[in-house]
Amino acid sequence: MTTAATASAVTAATAAAAVDEPGGAARAGRPRATSRAALERLGFELFARQGFDRTTVDDIAAAAGIGRRTFFRYFASKNDLVWGDFEEQLVRLDGLLAAADPGAAMMDGLRGAVVEFNRFDPAVVPWHRQRMALILRVPTLQADSTVRYTSWRALVTRFAARRTGRAPADLLPRLIGHAALAACIAAYEHWLTDPGDGVGDLLDRAIRQLAHGFEGPAASV
């Protein structure tokens, strides 16, 4: 899943004046937005007002005071704007998994890495909640999520393969990768419907239950 790093950048973003298309005139209104984080912030504001599907790249570019070509220098599509710096965050998750205590149980190591990966400052909770609501509830983005989830799952599968001494293509590492992703999605879906629970606690509980199994006593889920 995504982390708060992008959300933090969004809240800290500032719009600054910059050169847009060659020969283009400056647009009236707010200053030009010239960073990925600033474009995300404006995009999220428009999604909240108009809905994701009704908001176009042209709408975001106009609100930012830039042209379409400038928008596409930062994001390949409107969907990519919602996911933020996902590829960079996967590198971070891979590092957390690699740094997991080799003496700890495999699922404890996975749980610690996932919880840390999804740790963020309370001040950015509204941004992160909006991002995850879009990803999990908008059909257009659900379809796009398959590719991103595959990349996330592959990291967990490789981690499980290393810990179990098996090949990533073996059934057990594959199963752990798929099950861990399902547990995280379930935790985030619950977080969106019950704001009283912290997402870190929900992820912790979900992966604990996954490690425990489902036929014995529940792990306080």
Side-chain angles (χ1 to χ4, degrees), residues 93 96-101 104-118 152-153 155-160 162-163 173 175-181 183-184 203-204 206-208 210-211:
L93 175 59
L96 289 169
L97 291 169
D101 182 0
M106 176 185 65
M107 294 303 291
D108 286 344
L110 173 60
R111 177 169 50 82
V114 168
V115 170
E116 180 60 33
F117 180 62
N118 288 276
W152 189 99
R153 193 176 64 236
L155 295 182
V156 176
T157 298
R158 290 199 294 270
F159 169 77
R162 293 195 300 269
R163 285 303 189 94
L175 177 60
I176 294 169
H178 280 269
L181 176 61
C184 290
L203 289 165
D204 183 276
I207 297 177
R208 282 182 188 275
L210 184 63

Coordinates of all heavy atoms in Angstrom, one line a residue, residues 93 96-101 104-118 152-153 155-160 162-163 173 175-181 183-184 203-204 206-208 210-211:
L93 N 10.0 0.2 0.8 CA 9.5 -1.0 1.4 C 10.5 -2.2 1.3 O 10.7 -3.0 2.2 CB 8.2 -1.4 0.7 CG 7.5 -2.7 1.2 CD1 7.3 -2.8 2.7 CD2 6.3 -3.0 0.4
L96 N 13.0 -1.8 3.9 CA 12.5 -2.2 5.3 C 12.4 -3.7 5.4 O 12.7 -4.3 6.4 CB 11.1 -1.6 5.5 CG 11.0 -0.1 5.7 CD1 9.6 0.4 5.6 CD2 11.7 0.3 7.0
L97 N 12.0 -4.4 4.4 CA 12.0 -5.9 4.4 C 13.4 -6.5 4.5 O 13.6 -7.4 5.3 CB 11.3 -6.4 3.1 CG 9.8 -6.1 3.0 CD1 9.2 -6.5 1.7 CD2 9.0 -6.9 4.1
A98 N 14.3 -5.9 3.8 CA 15.7 -6.4 3.8 C 16.3 -6.2 5.2 O 17.2 -6.9 5.6 CB 16.5 -5.7 2.7
A99 N 15.9 -5.1 5.9 CA 16.4 -4.8 7.2 C 15.7 -5.5 8.3 O 16.1 -5.3 9.5 CB 16.3 -3.3 7.4
A100 N 14.7 -6.3 8.0 CA 14.0 -7.0 9.1 C 14.9 -7.9 9.9 O 15.8 -8.6 9.3 CB 12.8 -7.8 8.5
D101 N 14.7 -8.0 11.2 CA 15.6 -8.8 12.0 C 15.6 -10.3 11.5 O 14.5 -10.9 11.6 CB 15.1 -8.8 13.4 CG 15.9 -9.6 14.4 OD1 16.9 -10.2 14.0 OD2 15.6 -9.6 15.6
A104 N 14.1 -12.8 14.0 CA 12.6 -12.8 14.3 C 11.9 -13.7 13.4 O 12.3 -14.1 12.3 CB 12.1 -11.3 14.1
A105 N 10.7 -14.1 13.8 CA 9.8 -14.9 13.0 C 9.5 -14.1 11.7 O 9.4 -12.9 11.7 CB 8.5 -15.2 13.7
M106 N 9.3 -14.9 10.6 CA 9.1 -14.3 9.3 C 7.9 -13.3 9.3 O 8.0 -12.2 8.8 CB 8.9 -15.3 8.2 CG 8.5 -14.8 6.8 SD 8.1 -16.1 5.6 CE 6.6 -16.7 6.4
M107 N 6.8 -13.7 9.9 CA 5.6 -12.9 9.8 C 5.8 -11.7 10.8 O 5.2 -10.6 10.5 CB 4.4 -13.7 10.2 CG 4.0 -14.7 9.2 SD 3.8 -14.1 7.5 CE 2.2 -13.2 7.7
D108 N 6.6 -11.8 11.8 CA 6.8 -10.6 12.7 C 7.7 -9.6 11.9 O 7.4 -8.4 12.0 CB 7.6 -11.1 13.9 CG 6.7 -11.8 14.9 OD1 5.5 -11.7 14.8 OD2 7.2 -12.4 15.8
G109 N 8.6 -10.1 11.1 CA 9.4 -9.2 10.3 C 8.6 -8.5 9.2 O 8.8 -7.3 9.0
L110 N 7.7 -9.3 8.6 CA 6.8 -8.7 7.6 C 5.9 -7.6 8.2 O 5.7 -6.5 7.7 CB 6.0 -9.8 6.9 CG 4.9 -9.3 6.0 CD1 5.5 -8.5 4.8 CD2 4.2 -10.5 5.4
R111 N 5.3 -8.0 9.4 CA 4.4 -7.1 10.0 C 5.1 -5.7 10.4 O 4.6 -4.6 10.2 CB 3.8 -7.7 11.3 CG 2.9 -6.8 12.1 CD 2.2 -7.7 13.2 NE 3.1 -8.5 13.9 CZ 3.8 -8.1 15.0 NH1 3.7 -6.8 15.4 NH2 4.6 -8.9 15.6
G112 N 6.3 -5.9 11.0 CA 7.0 -4.6 11.3 C 7.3 -3.8 10.2 O 7.2 -2.5 10.2
A113 N 7.7 -4.4 9.0 CA 8.1 -3.6 7.9 C 6.8 -2.9 7.3 O 6.9 -1.7 6.9 CB 8.7 -4.5 6.8
V114 N 5.7 -3.6 7.2 CA 4.5 -3.1 6.7 C 4.0 -1.9 7.5 O 3.6 -0.9 7.0 CB 3.4 -4.2 6.5 CG1 2.1 -3.6 6.2 CG2 3.8 -5.1 5.4
V115 N 4.0 -2.1 8.8 CA 3.5 -1.1 9.7 C 4.4 0.2 9.6 O 3.9 1.3 9.5 CB 3.4 -1.6 11.2 CG1 3.2 -0.4 12.2 CG2 2.3 -2.6 11.3
E116 N 5.7 0.0 9.6 CA 6.6 1.1 9.5 C 6.4 1.8 8.1 O 6.4 3.1 8.0 CB 8.0 0.7 9.6 CG 9.1 1.8 9.5 CD 8.9 2.9 10.5 OE1 8.4 2.6 11.7 OE2 9.2 4.1 10.2
F117 N 6.2 1.1 7.1 CA 6.0 1.6 5.7 C 4.7 2.5 5.7 O 4.7 3.4 4.9 CB 5.8 0.4 4.8 CG 5.6 0.8 3.3 CD1 6.5 1.5 2.6 CD2 4.4 0.4 2.7 CE1 6.3 1.8 1.3 CE2 4.2 0.7 1.3 CZ 5.2 1.4 0.6
N118 N 3.8 2.2 6.5 CA 2.5 2.9 6.5 C 2.4 3.9 7.6 O 1.3 4.3 8.0 CB 1.3 2.0 6.4 CG 1.2 1.3 5.1 OD1 0.6 1.8 4.2 ND2 1.7 0.1 5.0
W152 N 3.9 -4.5 -5.5 CA 4.0 -4.6 -4.0 C 4.1 -6.1 -3.6 O 4.9 -6.4 -2.7 CB 2.7 -3.9 -3.4 CG 2.7 -3.7 -1.9 CD1 3.0 -2.6 -1.3 CD2 2.4 -4.7 -0.9 NE1 2.9 -2.8 0.1 CE2 2.5 -4.1 0.3 CE3 2.0 -6.0 -1.0 CZ2 2.2 -4.7 1.5 CZ3 1.7 -6.7 0.2 CH2 1.8 -6.0 1.4
R153 N 3.2 -6.9 -4.1 CA 3.2 -8.3 -3.8 C 4.5 -9.0 -4.1 O 4.9 -9.9 -3.4 CB 2.0 -8.9 -4.5 CG 1.6 -10.3 -4.0 CD 0.4 -10.8 -4.7 NE 0.6 -11.0 -6.1 CZ -0.1 -10.5 -7.1 NH1 -1.1 -9.7 -6.8 NH2 0.2 -10.7 -8.3
L155 N 7.5 -7.9 -3.9 CA 8.5 -7.6 -2.9 C 8.2 -8.6 -1.7 O 9.2 -9.1 -1.1 CB 8.4 -6.2 -2.4 CG 8.8 -5.1 -3.5 CD1 8.7 -3.7 -2.8 CD2 10.2 -5.3 -4.0
V156 N 7.0 -8.7 -1.3 CA 6.7 -9.6 -0.1 C 6.9 -11.0 -0.5 O 7.5 -11.8 0.3 CB 5.2 -9.4 0.3 CG1 4.8 -10.3 1.4 CG2 5.0 -7.9 0.7
T157 N 6.6 -11.4 -1.7 CA 6.9 -12.8 -2.1 C 8.4 -13.1 -2.1 O 8.8 -14.2 -1.6 CB 6.3 -13.0 -3.6 OG1 4.9 -12.8 -3.6 CG2 6.6 -14.4 -4.1
R158 N 9.2 -12.2 -2.6 CA 10.7 -12.4 -2.5 C 11.2 -12.5 -1.1 O 12.1 -13.3 -0.8 CB 11.4 -11.3 -3.3 CG 11.2 -11.4 -4.8 CD 12.2 -10.7 -5.6 NE 12.2 -9.2 -5.4 CZ 11.4 -8.4 -6.1 NH1 10.7 -8.9 -7.1 NH2 11.4 -7.1 -5.9
F159 N 10.6 -11.6 -0.2 CA 11.0 -11.6 1.2 C 10.6 -13.0 1.8 O 11.4 -13.6 2.5 CB 10.2 -10.6 1.9 CG 10.3 -10.6 3.4 CD1 11.4 -10.2 4.1 CD2 9.2 -11.1 4.2 CE1 11.5 -10.3 5.5 CE2 9.3 -11.2 5.6 CZ 10.4 -10.8 6.2
A160 N 9.4 -13.5 1.5 CA 9.0 -14.8 2.0 C 9.9 -15.9 1.5 O 10.2 -16.9 2.2 CB 7.5 -15.1 1.7
R162 N 13.1 -15.7 0.6 CA 14.3 -15.7 1.3 C 14.2 -16.3 2.7 O 15.1 -17.1 3.1 CB 14.8 -14.2 1.4 CG 15.2 -13.5 0.1 CD 16.0 -12.3 0.4 NE 15.3 -11.3 1.1 CZ 14.5 -10.3 0.6 NH1 14.4 -10.3 -0.7 NH2 13.9 -9.4 1.4
R163 N 13.1 -16.0 3.4 CA 13.0 -16.4 4.7 C 12.7 -17.9 4.8 O 13.0 -18.6 5.8 CB 11.9 -15.7 5.4 CG 12.3 -14.2 5.8 CD 13.5 -14.3 6.7 NE 13.8 -13.0 7.3 CZ 13.4 -12.5 8.5 NH1 12.7 -13.3 9.3 NH2 13.7 -11.3 8.9
P173 N 5.7 -19.0 -0.9 CA 6.0 -17.6 -1.0 C 4.9 -16.8 -1.8 O 4.6 -15.7 -1.4 CB 7.3 -17.5 -1.7 CG 8.0 -18.8 -1.4 CD 6.9 -19.8 -1.4
L175 N 1.8 -17.6 -1.9 CA 0.6 -17.5 -1.0 C 0.8 -16.4 0.0 O -0.1 -15.7 0.3 CB 0.4 -18.9 -0.3 CG -0.7 -19.0 0.7 CD1 -2.1 -18.7 0.1 CD2 -0.7 -20.3 1.4
I176 N 2.0 -16.3 0.6 CA 2.2 -15.3 1.6 C 2.1 -13.9 1.0 O 1.5 -13.0 1.6 CB 3.6 -15.5 2.2 CG1 3.6 -16.8 3.1 CG2 4.0 -14.3 3.1 CD1 5.0 -17.2 3.5
G177 N 2.6 -13.7 -0.2 CA 2.5 -12.5 -0.9 C 1.1 -12.0 -1.2 O 0.7 -10.9 -0.9
H178 N 0.3 -13.0 -1.7 CA -1.1 -12.7 -1.9 C -1.9 -12.4 -0.6 O -2.7 -11.5 -0.5 CB -1.8 -13.8 -2.7 CG -1.5 -13.8 -4.1 ND1 -2.3 -13.2 -5.1 CD2 -0.5 -14.4 -4.9 CE1 -1.8 -13.4 -6.3 NE2 -0.7 -14.1 -6.2
A179 N -1.7 -13.3 0.4 CA -2.4 -13.1 1.7 C -2.0 -11.8 2.4 O -2.9 -11.2 3.0 CB -2.1 -14.3 2.5
A180 N -0.8 -11.5 2.3 CA -0.4 -10.2 3.0 C -1.0 -9.0 2.3 O -1.5 -8.1 3.0 CB 1.2 -10.1 2.9
L181 N -1.1 -9.0 1.0 CA -1.7 -7.9 0.3 C -3.2 -7.9 0.6 O -3.7 -6.8 0.9 CB -1.6 -8.1 -1.3 CG -2.3 -7.1 -2.1 CD1 -1.8 -5.7 -1.9 CD2 -2.2 -7.5 -3.6
A183 N -4.6 -8.9 3.4 CA -4.7 -8.4 4.8 C -4.6 -6.9 4.8 O -5.3 -6.2 5.6 CB -3.6 -9.1 5.6
C184 N -3.6 -6.3 4.1 CA -3.4 -4.9 4.1 C -4.6 -4.1 3.4 O -5.1 -3.1 4.0 CB -2.2 -4.5 3.3 SG -0.7 -5.0 4.2
L203 N -3.3 -2.6 10.5 CA -2.4 -3.4 9.8 C -1.7 -4.4 10.7 O -1.5 -5.5 10.3 CB -1.4 -2.5 9.1 CG -1.9 -1.7 7.9 CD1 -0.9 -0.5 7.5 CD2 -2.1 -2.5 6.7
D204 N -1.3 -3.9 11.9 CA -0.7 -4.8 12.8 C -1.6 -5.9 13.2 O -1.2 -7.1 13.2 CB -0.3 -4.0 14.1 CG 0.4 -4.8 15.1 OD1 -0.2 -5.5 15.9 OD2 1.7 -4.7 15.1
A206 N -4.2 -7.1 11.5 CA -4.5 -7.9 10.4 C -3.4 -8.9 10.1 O -3.7 -10.1 9.8 CB -4.8 -7.1 9.1
I207 N -2.2 -8.5 10.1 CA -1.1 -9.4 9.8 C -0.8 -10.4 11.0 O -0.5 -11.5 10.8 CB 0.2 -8.6 9.5 CG1 -0.1 -7.8 8.2 CG2 1.4 -9.5 9.3 CD1 1.0 -6.9 7.7
R208 N -1.1 -9.9 12.2 CA -1.0 -10.9 13.3 C -2.1 -12.0 13.2 O -1.8 -13.2 13.4 CB -1.3 -10.1 14.7 CG -0.1 -9.3 15.2 CD -0.5 -8.7 16.5 NE 0.5 -7.8 17.0 CZ 1.6 -8.1 17.7 NH1 1.8 -9.4 18.0 NH2 2.5 -7.2 18.1
L210 N -3.3 -13.0 10.4 CA -2.9 -13.8 9.2 C -1.8 -14.8 9.7 O -1.9 -16.0 9.3 CB -2.3 -12.9 8.1 CG -1.9 -13.6 6.8 CD1 -3.0 -14.2 6.1 CD2 -1.2 -12.5 5.9
A211 N -0.9 -14.4 10.5 CA 0.1 -15.3 11.0 C -0.5 -16.4 11.9 O 0.0 -17.5 11.9 CB 1.2 -14.5 11.7

